Amino acid sequence: MTRNVGIAGFGTIGAVVAKRLAEGLPGLTLAAISSGRREVAEKRAHELGLSVPIVSPIELASRCDIIVECAPTAAFLSIAEPALTAGRTLVTVSGAAILEHPEIVDKARAGNGQIVLATGALLGLDAVRAAAEGNIHSVRMVTRKPPKSLRTAKHVVENSISLDNLAEPLLLFRGSAREGARAFPSNVNVAAALGLAGIGADRTELEIWADPTRTRNCHRIDVDADSARFGLEIENIPTDENPGTGRITALSMIAALRGLAAPLRVGT
């Protein structure tokens, strides 16, 4: 059985996912795209050789079995609610939006839908989820990104923090993953995912650094549990179009889609 896939948000991530779907993922077909910038989306679709309709989020939910949500954080609810109410599967990387709108899980339950949080930008979440079945004592995450990856972050802009000409790493935030997700909603979705997978966003400790010595978006997590103690580190290569987003993010969504249709799925 082939399932129809719709993409909501046709920017850096959405275009990569659409192109891979068009090239062929077993059991899946690209059926429609939704974007807040219709003319831009039509132009990009034409450049990629895609012949699919550009529709509203509500129509996307009526046409498609699976909705890939990769739109700006502010648009999350307008995409997620109709999809989940219609009983669709929502694949997203917006961990911060899920923390901000926890009622969306109830929407999924009531509509017999499902939310799949793709987390390839942060490794080791299978181990964190397993440890959470026992007792986790502490979870700590340290994010270090080159200044260009954080210049447009909500916290940086609102506090008029200059990241130009940094000579040494600058600590921008220290607190809980929930607080960090609110301050950096488009930059640390991985921290929100870590909180959701483990002991909760309020108990997950987070630091965010603007680090001029780094050229990649780096995340380090340390977990201490009654079943295991482990530390994991990943260095994500930023995309050219949006330095705050790593190249692996779109690939994470593609892997999640492949897992939905595959006869064998390894891990999440």
Side-chain angles (χ1 to χ4, degrees):
M1 179 183 72
T2 298
R3 285 187 278 182
N4 290 331
V5 180
I7 295 179
F10 202 44
T12 303
I13 298 172
V16 173
V17 176
K19 186 172 183 293
R20 183 64 63 89
L21 281 165
E23 290 170 350
L25 282 178
L28 304 172
T29 184
L30 179 62
I33 292 167
S34 179
S35 173
R37 299 183 298 169
R38 185 184 183 91
E39 291 184 2
V40 174
E42 288 176 343
K43 181 175 182 293
R44 179 166 287 174
H46 177 73
E47 291 171 348
L48 293 174
L50 303 177
S51 181
V52 292
I54 311 296
V55 301
S56 70
I58 293 176
E59 190 173 352
L60 199 70
S62 69
R63 285 173 176 257
C64 303
D65 307 298
I66 301 167
I67 311 298
V68 177
E69 188 279 316
C70 41
T73 306
F76 176 78
L77 280 183
S78 67
I79 297 161
E81 285 186 334
L84 296 170
T85 300
R88 308 310 188 192
T89 296
L90 180 78
V91 180
T92 181
V93 292
S94 299
I98 294 172
L99 282 184
E100 194 66 21
H101 304 286
E103 71 279 1
I104 203 67
V105 178
D106 294 326
K107 290 273 187 183
R109 185 180 296 110
N112 199 31
Q114 183 183 34
I115 303 169
V116 176
L117 181 57
T119 54
L122 185 65
L123 77 171
L125 289 190
D126 278 355
V128 176
R129 289 173 57 235
E133 294 294 336
N135 183 29
I136 296 180
H137 306 304
S138 64
V139 179
R140 182 170 181 265
M141 175 174 169
V142 178
T143 289
R144 294 179 180 272
K145 293 189 175 187
K148 67 178 182 179
S149 294
L150 290 162
R151 282 196 179 99
T152 60
K154 178 173 176 284
H155 177 82
V156 171
V157 172
E158 289 181 351
N159 290 278
S160 301
I161 300 172
S162 175
L163 300 182
D164 296 328
N165 303 315
L166 285 183
E168 58 186 24
L170 174 66
L171 177 64
L172 295 175
F173 174 85
R174 179 185 287 131
S176 72
R178 184 181 301 279
E179 294 166 334
R182 286 175 178 161
F184 296 81
S186 299
N187 300 86
V188 288
N189 277 306
V190 287
L194 179 61
L196 289 165
I199 55 175
D202 294 311
R203 292 179 58 198
T204 300
E205 302 170 33
L206 174 65
E207 288 184 9
I208 302 173
W209 294 76
D211 190 339
T213 70
R214 304 295 176 114
T215 58
R216 300 184 177 188
N217 299 330
C218 305
H219 308 291
R220 167 81 191 188
I221 66 172
D222 289 283
V223 179
D224 184 20
D226 61 0
S227 59
R229 180 181 298 141
F230 52 93
L232 304 159
E233 190 165 356
I234 188 168
E235 297 183 1
N236 297 326
I237 299 173
T239 60
D240 295 329
E241 302 89 344
N242 180 4
T245 298
R247 294 182 187 177
I248 202 169
T249 302
L251 301 181
S252 171
M253 302 195 87
I254 293 168
L257 286 171
R258 190 184 296 276
L260 291 175
L264 170 65
R265 184 169 67 184
V266 180
T268 52

